[in-house]
Amino acid sequence: MGKKKQKIILPPDLPPEVPDEEVEVSDEDLDFVDQHSDYANFMSKIDTPSLTKHVSRVADANEGALELLYEKKLRKKFENKEKEENTLEVDPIDALPLKTADGQLYYRRVVKEPKEAAEESGESIKDPALVKPTKAEKRLKTKKLRKEAKKQAKEEEVQQTPQEEVLDEVKKDLTAEEANEKKKYKFAELGTTLLADPESNIRLLKEMLELSKDGDSTIVILGLKSLLAVFKDIIPGYRIRLPTEKEQEMKVSKDVKKMRFYESTLLSAYKAYVQKLVALQQQTAYQLVATRCLCTLVAAVPHFNYRESLLAAVVKDISSQDDVIRKLCCSAVKSLFTNEGKHGGEVTVEAVRRIAELVKSHNCQLHPDSLEVFLSLSFDEDLGKPERSDMDKKAKYKNFKKRKGSDESNQKPENDRKKSRKEMMSKTREEVNADYKAVSSDQDPQERRKMQSQTLSAVFQTFFRVLKHTVQPKSEGSVNGAFGSHPLLDPCLNGIGKFAHLIDLDFMADLMQCLRKLAGNGNKSADSSENSSCQLTVSERLRCCIVAFKVMRNNLDALNVDLQEFFIQLYNLILEYQPGRDDGDLLAEALKIMLCDERQHDMQRAAAFIKRLATFALCFRPAESMAALVTVKHLLQKNAKCRNLLENDAGGGSVAGAIAKFQPQVLDPNLCGALASVLWELNLLMKHYHPSVSSIAATISTMNANTNQVFRVHASPQQAYTELLKENESFATPSAIKRTNNKRKVSDSVPVQGPDLNSSDEIDENAIRSKLSQHFSLLHDIQENERLRSEMDHTRQSLNLYETYKMQKKRKARSN
């Protein structure tokens, strides 16, 4: 129901205006005002200045402006009336009236819209909903909206308390933890479902890959590990070859379609996983996890697709400065070399080539572990020999059959049926053998021999590059790498020593020349400029000598080549050796290979080494002394004429020698004249504090030069060194025991605290230096005190003498 329009009641009309000049005030009016002065007091209180100020502010104190103000008010009033008139009353004929609760009747009124009114009046009014606003209007509108949004945000920030902020953060953390827990359960569920039936649920791999793209590091690591476990279990034992376009156009069964879909999905997911691992390997947060996953895949499935990218990523970090990552990569490559049955040797060739390229690109400045992996390689020397023996047997059998046929020419020819039967049997056997070779996993011997030759060539190419880089002189401005000046020399020499029997004889001369330079470059001679180019340690030079003898023993031992230069280097290296700095095991190995292994030496050289080793045994630790004395015993046993050194006559063995005088400063052992000397060192070694050294010295001194006695050597120098080195850990020297006993006698109740003297390696040099400095400072103080006391006594005596002189002078004066 509509509302009834209320009528507006207008105020009464104002009286006509009369000018002030025409107004006349009567006496009655004045009397009335005087009588009722209380009622007229308000007139005196009217603030006329404020009224005039208000009028001047509104209408600028101008009567015309004031009139304009009244006219504006009237206009607004008339406009409101026109709006009310626009509401038309519905004709009573067209509509029935409405009755209110009061009983009044009224008709509905229709309000004209501004559009219809404008059409009737012929004017055009722009509707903002129909007309597009201008750019300026849009900018103003957006500015207003932005300002309002900023105001609201500021008000919210002001209203928000710190407690609410903390609560919001806690809620976010709780929601993040719940989401992570859900993702973890999701990974477990998807992985279990995949492992239960991989062919039907292979699509879940993509879902796992999507989940592992999370921003949280824990979820990413969990996803990588879960995918690794799934791929290790479901990857087949063969390489997947996707069907070509022609094969896809062919009609196949449902099983074949299902298998193709399974293989293609698995391959695409595996490719995405490998690419993600390679990308995450560059990030420090995921480097360890990504490297571990890559190494596991390389070791577990080297036969599968994308092994090239896996191998490239693993070989790249084989020389990493991080110990954990480097060990993971090295162990993965070693597993490839030792388990060639998984990949047939193809991955071995590729890995060796990649390592060779890495050594070349880094100019031989890699960690030694990157080249030590080559020591895990194995080569089959007798590959294919059984087949040759079978062929020889067949040829012999055919010749025997021919001879037998010629001898039994009188026998009847065989039946045709038997011949045809034999031919059929031979054909079936050939077919069965061919099928067996095609199906069996055994590799063809020729292919295996070819791959091994490629691997061996790449390995020796790397070894020779390292040797060439070591021999080359260094420039003045060159700086050593992070792993030393020659980090790959030791594993290179070990590899050459292990595979010395596989070296081609064409490279033997160059190899031996290079080893000679390396073994002798420690001598700082003025004549040779090559020797001063780069300095090697004593251990590295000893290893060069050992490798040279291994190579010659494995290849040219039958030629009886005399390696005189290497003997000269060993003769000089014995004096340069320092225990603790150099490797004693290498020295013992060099003595064993060069002097003790079934080789007949020249008498002068043998005598020189006997004399040098006996002198060496006096100066160093018991382990090195034991190895030297065992070598002396070997040489004396093999060379009976050298036992003249055990005699105590003036000339020693000079009767049998060509050089009459012993010259220990000569570098060549053949020219030092050691036969003219005497092994007086054995007399001192018999009094050695270690019982093993004293006992073997006593055994050597009992050898007789006249009779051909045979002495059994109980161990090699290497074994003697290792055994005595283990014994020294629990062995206490007699001097240390005596010192401890003396301290106990001085103070039995107080325990003696000091450095452990059982082994020289455990003594702290800093502690000894500090104690010695304290001792000498104390001695210096004592001497200074003594000097001061003597000076004080001298001054005291002089003062006493002066006092006596004064007393005597006074007495003379009194007497006079």
Side-chain angles (χ1 to χ4, degrees):
M1 294 176 66
K3 292 182 180 179
K4 186 178 179 179
K5 186 178 178 182
Q6 295 179 0
K7 292 182 180 181
I8 299 172
I9 302 171
L10 297 175
D13 295 333
L14 294 173
E17 293 183 0
V18 180
D20 296 337
E21 296 175 355
E22 296 180 358
V23 175
E24 293 180 359
V25 182
S26 61
D27 296 334
E28 295 177 357
D29 294 334
L30 294 173
D31 294 336
F32 181 77
V33 169
D34 293 335
Q35 291 176 3
H36 302 86
S37 60
D38 297 334
Y39 295 100
N41 283 334
F42 74 94
M43 296 295 290
S44 63
K45 296 178 181 179
I46 292 174
D47 190 4
T48 54
S50 63
L51 291 174
T52 54
K53 186 178 179 182
H54 176 70
V55 172
S56 63
R57 181 176 63 82
V58 174
D60 297 331
N62 193 359
E63 293 180 357
L66 189 60
E67 290 178 358
L68 291 173
L69 183 63
Y70 286 125
E71 286 179 0
K72 284 181 181 180
K73 290 181 179 180
L74 290 173
R75 283 176 193 169
K76 288 182 180 179
K77 187 176 182 181
F78 286 125
E79 286 176 0
N80 293 330
K81 284 183 179 181
E82 287 177 358
K83 287 181 181 179
E84 290 177 356
E85 289 176 358
N86 287 333
T87 59
L88 300 178
E89 193 175 32
V90 180
D91 192 0
I93 300 171
D94 297 333
L96 295 173
L98 297 174
K99 188 176 182 180
T100 61
D102 300 337
Q104 295 179 2
L105 296 175
Y106 70 94
Y107 294 93
R108 291 181 179 176
R109 296 180 183 275
V110 178
V111 180
K112 285 186 179 180
E113 294 181 358
K115 188 176 180 182
E116 295 175 359
E119 288 177 356
E120 289 179 1
S121 62
E123 297 177 357
S124 61
I125 297 173
K126 293 182 179 180
D127 190 0
L130 299 175
V131 181
K132 292 182 178 180
T134 60
K135 290 184 178 179
E137 292 175 353
K138 287 181 180 178
R139 288 173 184 171
L140 290 171
K141 192 174 181 180
T142 52
K143 286 181 179 179
K144 288 180 180 178
L145 292 173
R146 287 176 183 173
K147 288 180 180 178
E148 291 177 358
K150 287 181 180 179
K151 287 180 181 179
Q152 290 179 359
K154 288 181 180 178
E155 290 176 358
E156 290 177 357
E157 288 179 358
V158 171
Q159 291 176 0
Q160 192 175 11
T161 58
Q163 293 181 356
E164 293 177 354
E165 294 179 359
V166 173
L167 289 173
D168 292 340
E169 292 179 359
V170 171
K171 287 179 181 178
K172 289 179 182 179
D173 294 338
L174 290 174
T175 53
E177 289 180 0
E178 290 176 358
N180 290 341
E181 289 295 328
K182 288 180 181 179
K183 289 177 183 178
K184 290 178 182 179
Y185 286 121
K186 189 68 175 176
F187 273 123
E189 184 180 355
L190 293 174
T192 307
T193 309
L194 264 170
L195 294 176
D197 190 3
E199 293 183 359
S200 302
N201 304 314
I202 194 64
R203 294 180 180 176
L204 298 179
L205 280 175
K206 294 183 179 179
E207 189 174 353
M208 292 182 73
L209 284 170
E210 290 294 329
L211 282 174
S212 61
K213 293 179 181 178
D214 195 273
D216 192 1
S217 60
T218 56
I219 299 299
V220 174
I221 292 171
L222 182 63
L224 294 177
K225 292 181 179 180
S226 303
L227 286 167
L228 175 65
V230 171
F231 279 121
K232 279 180 64 180
D233 192 86
I234 66 174
I235 284 176
Y238 55 89
R239 287 175 66 89
I240 293 177
R241 184 186 67 82
L242 296 177
T244 60
E245 295 180 357
K246 292 183 179 180
E247 291 176 351
Q248 289 179 356
E249 292 175 357
M250 296 171 61
K251 292 183 179 180
V252 292
S253 61
K254 291 182 179 179
D255 295 336
V256 176
K257 287 182 179 179
K258 186 178 179 181
M259 181 57 67
R260 284 182 178 178
F261 175 75
Y262 170 75
E263 290 181 348
S264 62
T265 308
L266 175 62
L267 199 59
S268 62
Y270 185 68
K271 181 180 179 182
Y273 179 63
V274 172
Q275 290 176 352
K276 185 172 184 179
L277 288 176
V278 174
L280 291 176
Q281 195 180 15
Q282 307 300 326
Q283 302 179 12
T284 56
Y286 306 106
Q287 187 177 10
L288 182 58
V289 179
T291 306
R292 192 182 296 276
C293 294
L294 288 169
C295 295
T296 306
L297 287 176
V298 166
V301 287
H303 63 279
F304 198 59
N305 303 61
Y306 307 112
R307 65 187 181 190
E308 293 83 7
S309 56
L310 288 173
L311 194 61
V314 171
V315 172
K316 182 183 67 175
D317 287 339
I318 202 171
S319 182
S320 176
Q321 293 185 356
D322 191 351
D323 295 338
V324 179
I325 294 174
R326 185 178 65 252
K327 288 178 181 178
L328 284 172
C329 296
C330 291
S331 61
V333 176
K334 287 179 182 178
S335 67
L336 289 177
F337 293 162
T338 53
N339 301 321
E340 290 187 352
K342 292 183 178 180
H343 50 83
E346 297 177 359
V347 185
T348 301
V349 179
E350 188 175 355
V352 171
R353 286 177 177 173
R354 287 188 179 275
I355 294 172
E357 292 175 359
L358 189 69
V359 172
K360 183 180 179 181
S361 62
H362 285 78
N363 198 17
C364 302
Q365 294 297 322
L366 296 175
H367 196 275
D369 292 346
S370 59
L371 211 61
E372 282 184 359
V373 296
F374 285 165
L375 300 177
S376 301
L377 290 168
S378 60
F379 298 96
D380 298 335
E381 300 177 8
D382 301 332
L383 193 65
K385 284 186 177 180
E387 293 183 359
R388 292 178 182 175
S389 62
D390 293 340
M391 294 294 291
D392 294 340
K393 286 181 181 179
K394 288 181 180 179
K396 289 179 181 179
Y397 180 72
K398 286 182 181 180
N399 295 330
F400 175 74
K401 198 171 183 181
K402 287 180 181 179
R403 291 174 184 176
K404 190 176 181 181
S406 62
D407 294 339
E408 296 178 355
S409 59
N410 297 328
Q411 293 182 358
K412 296 180 180 181
E414 293 183 354
N415 194 2
D416 295 337
R417 291 182 179 178
K418 290 183 179 180
K419 288 182 180 180
S420 61
R421 189 177 180 183
K422 287 181 179 179
E423 289 177 358
M424 289 178 63
M425 291 288 289
S426 62
K427 287 181 180 179
T428 53
R429 284 174 182 171
E430 290 177 359
E431 291 176 358
V432 168
N433 291 330
D435 294 338
Y436 177 73
K437 287 181 180 180
V439 175
S440 64
S441 60
D442 295 338
Q443 197 175 9
D444 189 11
Q446 294 181 357
E447 293 181 359
R448 183 170 178 79
R449 192 180 300 109
K450 182 180 179 181
M451 285 190 293
Q452 286 198 348
S453 63
Q454 294 175 358
T455 304
L456 193 63
S457 63
V459 168
F460 278 112
Q461 183 183 0
T462 307
F463 288 160
F464 294 153
R465 177 174 284 108
V466 174
L467 291 177
K468 185 178 179 181
H469 178 267
T470 308
V471 172
Q472 286 177 352
K474 285 189 176 183
S475 59
E476 294 181 357
S478 62
V479 182
N480 295 336
F483 306 107
S485 58
H486 308 292
L488 299 180
L489 182 60
D490 285 346
C492 171
L493 293 174
N494 290 332
I496 292 173
K498 182 177 181 180
F499 305 120
H501 58 286
L502 301 173
I503 298 175
D504 194 355
L505 296 178
D506 297 335
F507 304 103
M508 195 64 63
D510 297 335
L511 178 61
M512 297 305 295
Q513 184 179 0
C514 185
L515 290 174
R516 285 192 194 96
K517 289 181 181 179
L518 291 175
N521 72 344
N523 297 329
K524 299 180 181 179
S525 59
D527 299 334
S528 62
S529 61
E530 294 178 357
N531 294 339
S532 60
S533 61
C534 59
Q535 297 294 325
L536 297 181
T537 62
V538 174
S539 300
E540 290 173 346
R541 293 167 63 193
L542 285 171
R543 198 182 293 276
C544 291
C545 297
I546 292 168
V547 170
F549 270 80
K550 284 183 178 179
V551 172
M552 298 302 292
R553 183 180 61 186
N554 292 327
N555 293 280
L556 300 177
D557 198 13
L559 299 178
N560 197 13
V561 178
D562 190 10
L563 302 174
Q564 177 62 23
E565 294 184 9
F566 292 99
F567 283 110
I568 293 172
Q569 295 301 328
L570 179 62
Y571 184 74
N572 296 317
L573 284 172
I574 291 173
L575 292 181
E576 296 180 16
Y577 176 86
Q578 290 185 11
R581 184 195 67 180
D582 303 321
D583 191 359
D585 197 6
L586 282 177
L587 178 63
E589 187 178 0
L591 294 176
K592 176 180 178 296
I593 291 175
M594 298 176 68
L595 299 176
C596 299
D597 279 353
E598 300 297 331
R599 184 180 292 272
Q600 193 67 31
H601 299 282
D602 183 60
M603 185 173 59
Q604 291 287 347
R605 184 198 299 163
F609 273 104
I610 290 169
K611 181 65 177 176
R612 177 63 57 88
L613 290 173
T615 308
F616 170 82
L618 285 173
C619 307
F620 296 109
R621 295 181 300 184
E624 287 88 351
S625 301
M626 192 69 181
L629 291 176
V630 168
T631 309
V632 168
K633 192 174 181 180
H634 273 283
L635 294 174
L636 289 174
Q637 181 182 353
K638 290 179 181 179
N639 301 278
K641 293 182 180 180
C642 292
R643 297 175 194 168
N644 293 327
L645 297 172
L646 300 172
E647 300 295 333
N648 291 326
D649 56 349
S654 60
V655 178
I659 303 172
K661 186 178 179 182
F662 175 55
Q663 300 174 359
Q665 70 277 5
V666 177
L667 300 178
D668 193 351
N670 293 324
L671 302 177
C672 67
L675 286 172
S677 63
V678 179
L679 288 177
W680 53 268
E681 293 89 354
L682 292 175
N683 191 16
L684 296 176
L685 289 170
M686 289 170 62
K687 301 175 182 178
H688 199 274
Y689 69 90
H690 202 284
S692 301
V693 177
S694 60
S695 63
I696 193 170
T699 305
I700 294 170
S701 62
T702 56
M703 288 185 179
N704 192 358
N706 297 326
T707 58
N708 294 327
Q709 297 177 353
V710 178
F711 297 93
R712 180 178 176 274
V713 180
H714 67 282
S716 64
Q718 212 169 358
Q719 292 175 352
Y721 175 80
T722 54
E723 289 176 1
L724 208 65
L725 197 64
K726 292 179 181 178
E727 291 180 4
N728 283 342
E729 295 178 358
S730 60
F731 181 77
T733 58
S735 59
I737 295 170
K738 288 179 181 178
R739 288 173 186 170
T740 54
N741 291 333
N742 292 333
K743 289 179 181 179
R744 286 176 183 174
K745 288 178 181 178
V746 173
S747 58
D748 294 333
S749 60
V750 181
V752 179
Q753 295 181 357
D756 189 7
L757 300 175
N758 293 339
S759 60
S760 60
D761 296 337
E762 297 178 357
I763 297 174
D764 191 1
E765 295 182 358
N766 295 326
I768 294 173
R769 190 178 289 109
S770 63
K771 289 185 177 181
L772 288 175
S773 63
Q774 292 175 3
H775 173 71
F776 287 115
S777 63
L778 182 63
L779 290 177
H780 180 268
D781 294 340
I782 292 170
Q783 291 175 359
E784 188 70 18
N785 291 333
E786 289 178 354
R787 187 181 63 79
L788 292 173
R789 286 195 188 94
S790 63
E791 289 180 359
M792 188 173 64
D793 293 338
H794 179 69
T795 53
R796 188 180 293 146
Q797 289 176 4
S798 61
L799 289 172
N800 293 331
L801 184 62
Y802 182 71
E803 288 178 357
T804 54
Y805 171 73
K806 276 185 175 183
M807 292 291 292
Q808 291 176 2
K809 195 174 182 181
K810 286 180 180 179
R811 288 175 185 173
K812 286 182 180 179
R814 288 175 184 177
S815 62
N816 294 328

